[in-house]
Every structure is written in C-alpha cells, then in structure tokens.
Amino acid sequence: MAKKRVVSTTINGKSIELLCEPRQTLLEVLRDNLDLTGTKEGCSNGNCGACTVLMNGRPVVSCLVLAMEAEGASLETIEGVAQGGDLDPIQQAFLENAALQCGICTPGFIMSTKALLTENPNPTEQEARFYLAGNLCRCTGYDKIIRAVLDSAQRRQAALAAERQHS
Amino acid sequence: MRDFDYSAPTSVAEAVRLLNQSPGAGRPLAGGTDLIDQLRLGRHQPELVVDIKRIPELNVLELSSRGLRLGAAVPCSRIYSDAGIAQEYAALVDSARIIGGVQIQNRASVGGNLCNSGPAADSTPSLIALGARAVIAGPQGTREVPVEEFCTGPGKNVLHRGEVLVELRFPPRPANSGSHYRRFIPRNEMDIAVVSVGALVELDASGERIKSARIALGAVGPTPLFAREASSGLAGRSPTVETLTEAAQAAQAIATPIDDMRGTKEFRRHVTGVLVRRVLEECVQRARHPA
Ligand SMILES: Cc1cc2nc3c(=O)[nH]c(=O)nc-3n(C[C@H](O)[C@H](O)[C@H](O)COP(=O)(O)OP(=O)(O)OC[C@H]3O[C@@H](n4cnc5c(N)ncnc54)[C@H](O)[C@@H]3O)c2cc1C
Ligand code: FES
Ligand code: FES
C-alpha cells in the first residue's frame, strides 16, 4: 500500500494536519477521518453536488478531489457556515421556505448558494437556477430551494445595510 | 479505490521524469473531473498519480498581440472570467461555460478535456475552430501538434506514454472575425452533447464576404472532426443563407454518427446541418458586431 502522507490544510478557519492515503478523496477524509459528516455523499461521481465544499472560496465536488490536493488549501464545509449558535441567513432562509425534505442535498445547496451570493449578491431567478445546476434534489422539485436562495440574497442585503447603518 | 501513490511536481521536467520512471504506470491529474471517477471504476490503474496543477507553465493564461497561451491545467472558470479572452476567443469561452456545472468548471481544464479525448468533449471543436496547437513535452523534448490531429479515437490520442500536454497556443484573432460554439442537448445544462459545432468566420473589411472559415464538429464521429471542405468552400463567398446552408451540407457529409440513447444517426446528421448553419450565422454576427 502507498504510504500514508501528511496534508496540511485549513478547514473552517482551523489549520490542521491530516494523515491520509493518496487514494482517499477529500469527501472520504472529511467524513471518515474527520467526522465532518455534514458533507454528504450522493453519487460519488461528480453529478449530484451533495458533497460540495468551498476550496479556496470556490465550490468544488469533494468526491472528485483527492485529499492530497488539499495541501495548502483553505476549505469550508457546512459545519463552518453557522457562526457560534447563529444560523447563517442562508440556512435560516432554507428553513423558513421549507426548502428541504430528506435534507441530503441541503448542505451542498447551501455551500453553492454561499459561493453564488459572494460572486453575485443579487442574482435573478435564472442566474440562481443556472448556478445551482450542479446540485440535484430528488425531493423538493427545486422551486422552494430557488425561493430560499433569492430570499437569502435579500436577507444578506438587509443584514449588510443594517451593518452599514450601525458603523 | 485501488491503491496508488501521489506526487505534485513543480516543473515540467520533473513531471516528465516521474511519468517515465516506471513505464505505463504514471497518470497526469489535472482537475480530476474525468480521472478520479475513472480511477474509482478501475478504468485506469496507475501506480502513480502525477498532479500537474503546481507546475507554473501549466497555469499560464496569457493574452497578447501574439495570441493566447492557455496552460493545460487552467480550469474553465478562470477562462470565462477573463473579459479579454471572452472578446478575442468567444468560442473557447462558450465551451468553458457549459462544461458541467460551477463545481466542475472550477476544476475541469481544457487540457484535461482534450487529453480525455471523448468524441463529445465540449472544448475540442472550439480549439480546432480557433486554430489551436497542442504543445507536448516528453523525454525527447517538446513537440507541437495541431488540435485537429490530436485525438485518434474514443479515449485515444497522439500522446505517448509519459508525455504531458503543456499548453494550447492560439494564433491572434483575425480582424473582422467571430467565433462560436454550441451543442444540442435535451436539457438546459449539465448534459453530454448529442451534436456540437464550433466555428470561426473571418470576413473581409466590408463585412460582406467571407475570407476564411474553420468549422469543427463534435459527437458525430469517433473523434471531434475538422470539416475541412465545408470550411474552405466558404472562402470568397458572401455569407447568405444559401452559402451557409451549402457549408452545413458539406459538414453533414463527413459526420459518421452512431445510434445511441441520445439520438439516432439520422437525427444527429440532421441536427449537424441545423447547428452548423446557426453557428455560422452567429459567427458572422459576432464578426460584424464585436461584443
Ligand atoms: C458532473 C460532470 C459533468 C461534466 N460535464 C461535461 C460537459 O458538459 N462537457 C464536457 O466536455 N465534459 C464534461 N465532463 C467531463 C470533464 O469534466 C471534462 O472532460 C474536463 O474538461 C476534464 O478536465 P480535468 O482537468 O478534470 O481532467 P482530468 O480528469 O484531470 O484528466 C482527464 C484525462 O486527461 C489526462 N490528462 C489531463 N491533463 C493532462 C495533461 N496536461 N497531459 C497529459 N494528460 C493529461 C488524465 O490523465 C486523464 O486521463 C463532466 C464531468 C462531470 C463529472
Ligand atoms: S457525491 Fe460528489 S457529486 Fe455526488
Ligand atoms: S431534500 Fe431530498 S434530495 Fe433534496
């Protein structure tokens, strides 16, 4: 067996060193080595988006990344989205718009939405649908998810405006 | 997944050395969006995976008066985020925007798309249309191959064991020219092309006559195809519906599509004609009214 190797990386703001096998995917290491099971496995071939995490700020499917590739990277998973005990506005919007049923797709959708709103704080419905095309949901029929995404955008804008007023 | 070792060299020479250390047992890894699933399925069984993303030459993205240099490992999202490239090499950007969804585009490279050599690869027809050349490094030094000669069959290409694709070199965009890539799929996004077409049309200064054209087809043969006669037949003609329809018929003649769940031969041949005409029309529009 190929030797296990040490990978230095940052996950949700914390620098860590991981011992992993070259053949392990980032998804496997997150779930099985680190117990970060919020990141879900759907297809394991890149099609469903359930395993989406942010790598250096950009969404990638962690089932198609080798853990070794995370050397020096900054990773963000669903576990890092809520701040302290407070849900992120995106999470709140998903809850209030009933944008999930079984919930397997939800962490992936939330990570992609986070990246979308960073790149494009005020997306149209069409832009949101295209951006999220790599995330599949077998339960909701997508409408409520898209409503939650557009609602999150408004919540974030409102939160930013409130912050600006206070400062 | 089957066991393998991993290495991330920082120079082309080192990558070539690693790939040749144990013949046949090394595999380059770019974005991994094809390779990692192929490793999981056992389609490739390398002893060593050589991650080429830390090699500076493979990350070059340089637009200048001499043309475009596109490093083999540059992901699609970097290509379409560059406004200069979108203007000069529109067909390439059309391709980069439709390979998978955002998660795939953040990893998938045009180099990997070419080296994977699928008949329906979405960037290859654009590379052919834009006249790109593949720069290849191996133990014997470097060589250059025009992209239309790169793929030799489904999943097969001119790379010898242990060679790496370093970059794709594009000539400067000719004056008064426009390019476009489009595919037919039954959905709006995230699907494999049933038929696809990339083209470049160069007009004369008046904008009323075609000086030269390059048309390439995807998913209608064992490799992406350069429609040589359809292309050269356009030179000197005025871009009327009749002229473009003639080119579409000439392109249809070289298509050798197969029947599969995505479409029958007859359907694919028909769609080839329709797409060639539409893509040429868009190229003419873009040549006349640059973005
Ligand atoms: C969900 C999903 C959707 C997709 N959608 C599309 C689509 O719409 N259109 C499309 O065309 N493709 C699509 N693909 C396929 C894939 O994303 C593309 O082919 C992509 O461009 C491959 O690039 P990569 O950098 O990920 O290559 P990798 O997977 O890293 O490599 C692909 C192959 O090329 C070899 N290779 C890579 N770089 C080099 C090099 N520099 N020198 C020598 N050999 C090299 C590798 O060894 C491997 O055999 C999709 C894949 C997934 C998972
Ligand atoms: S589990 Fe990674 S995309 Fe489906
Ligand atoms: S809520 Fe079940 S897959 Fe989306």
Side-chain angles (χ1 to χ4, degrees):
Chain A
M1 202 179 76
K3 267 207 308 265
K4 285 197 179 187
R5 305 259 288 273
V6 178
V7 175
S8 310
T9 188
T10 305
I11 302 187
N12 299 326
K14 242 176 46 201
S15 301
I16 59 164
E17 298 211 323
L18 293 166
L19 191 61
C20 41
E21 289 178 50
R23 65 170 164 182
Q24 283 185 295
T25 62
L26 178 59
L27 174 63
E28 269 174 73
V29 167
L30 289 173
R31 290 183 56 87
D32 301 345
N33 299 27
L34 296 171
D35 249 354
L36 292 171
T37 55
T39 304
K40 301 302 179 197
E41 175 173 11
C43 62
S44 248
N45 61 25
N47 277 279
C48 77
C51 66
T52 301
V53 301
L54 306 188
M55 192 167 183
N56 301 322
R58 292 181 169 274
V60 299
V61 280
S62 58
C63 66
L64 294 185
V65 178
L66 296 178
M68 306 299 298
E69 296 182 70
E71 174 68 39
S74 162
L75 301 168
E76 211 179 321
T77 69
I78 188 69
E79 286 86 354
V81 173
Q83 293 302 322
D86 296 329
L87 291 184
D88 186 271
I90 300 172
Q91 294 171 306
Q92 200 63 42
F94 268 68
L95 274 180
E96 290 177 23
N97 288 276
L100 59 146
Q101 289 178 29
C102 79
I104 285 281
C105 68
T106 312
F109 268 103
I110 288 175
M111 298 318 288
S112 293
T113 303
K114 199 162 183 238
L116 164 66
L117 298 184
T118 308
E119 279 175 41
N120 179 358
N122 214 349
T124 62
E125 175 176 342
Q126 166 110 350
E127 285 166 346
R129 284 188 187 269
F130 265 96
Y131 197 92
L132 298 172
N135 291 83
L136 303 185
C137 173
R138 293 301 296 268
C139 307
T140 64
Y142 299 101
D143 277 349
K144 290 183 174 180
I145 293 177
I146 295 300
R147 248 177 270 163
V149 171
L150 299 178
D151 183 20
S152 325
Q154 299 210 324
R155 286 167 193 250
R156 279 165 64 113
Q157 301 276 27
L160 285 177
E163 249 173 58
R164 270 199 298 272
Q165 280 214 323
H166 283 119
S167 61
Chain B
M1 219 185 291
R2 195 176 166 281
D3 195 36
F4 53 78
D5 212 336
Y6 169 94
S7 187
T10 53
S11 74
V12 174
E14 176 71 356
V16 168
R17 194 186 62 73
L18 286 165
L19 288 167
N20 286 283
Q21 213 165 294
S22 39
R27 264 266 141 202
L29 166 74
T33 60
D34 281 314
L35 183 63
I36 293 177
D37 193 45
Q38 292 164 357
L39 292 172
R40 195 184 339 260
L41 298 174
R43 284 246 316 266
H44 293 301
Q45 310 199 331
E47 272 163 35
L48 178 67
V49 166
V50 179
D51 186 349
I52 53 179
K53 289 189 296 300
R54 300 194 189 241
I55 305 173
E57 289 92 322
L58 277 80
N59 288 305
V60 165
L61 187 62
E62 189 186 286
L63 182 64
S64 74
S65 57
R66 282 173 314 184
L68 173 68
R69 292 178 60 203
L70 168 60
V74 172
C76 289
S77 59
R78 248 185 91 197
I79 297 171
Y80 64 65
S81 303
D82 187 312
I85 296 175
Q87 191 173 340
E88 297 297 303
Y89 300 95
L92 174 66
V93 167
D94 294 336
S95 294
R97 279 186 193 284
I98 55 177
I99 293 181
V102 171
Q103 295 97 322
I104 299 298
Q105 291 158 7
N106 282 329
R107 297 264 298 164
S109 63
V110 165
N113 197 228
L114 180 61
C115 293
N116 196 60
S117 301
D122 274 310
S123 64
T124 312
S126 295
L127 301 181
I128 296 173
L130 294 168
R133 298 173 69 81
V135 179
I136 299 165
Q140 261 79 50
T142 62
R143 61 187 180 117
E144 266 188 51
V145 175
V147 170
E148 57 267 32
E149 291 167 18
F150 190 89
C151 298
T152 52
K156 296 206 174 79
N157 57 49
V158 298
L159 290 181
H160 301 305
R161 279 189 178 165
E163 280 188 324
V164 276
L165 176 67
V166 178
E167 66 175 58
L168 294 152
R169 284 203 188 136
F170 299 73
R173 178 172 72 93
N176 310 308
S177 70
S179 66
H180 182 40
Y181 174 79
R182 191 182 292 187
R183 66 181 178 185
F184 176 82
I185 54 171
R187 309 175 69 221
N188 281 329
E189 70 298 288
M190 293 287 287
D191 207 343
I192 298 175
V194 177
V195 176
S196 72
V197 176
L200 168 79
V201 174
E202 180 189 7
L203 301 176
D204 69 6
S206 73
E208 294 307 323
R209 209 161 283 282
I210 297 173
K211 243 172 116 174
S212 73
R214 289 177 69 88
I215 304 167
L217 313 178
V220 292
T223 67
L225 301 170
F226 177 34
R228 219 173 276 277
E229 263 133 55
S231 303
S232 60
L234 284 169
R237 312 275 303 273
S238 112
T240 59
V241 177
E242 293 73 39
T243 310
L244 303 187
T245 303
E246 245 175 72
Q249 283 164 352
Q252 272 175 316
I254 66 158
T256 54
I258 53 165
D259 285 320
D260 68 10
M261 64 190 219
R262 293 200 165 73
T264 60
K265 288 179 200 167
E266 291 72 26
F267 179 70
R268 283 196 155 104
R269 200 165 287 125
H270 173 71
V271 175
T272 304
V274 176
L275 272 192
V276 168
R277 192 171 41 74
R278 288 189 189 163
V279 168
L280 289 172
E281 279 167 1
E282 180 65 21
C283 290
V284 171
Q285 279 302 311
R286 287 180 176 183
R288 286 178 177 159
H289 312 283

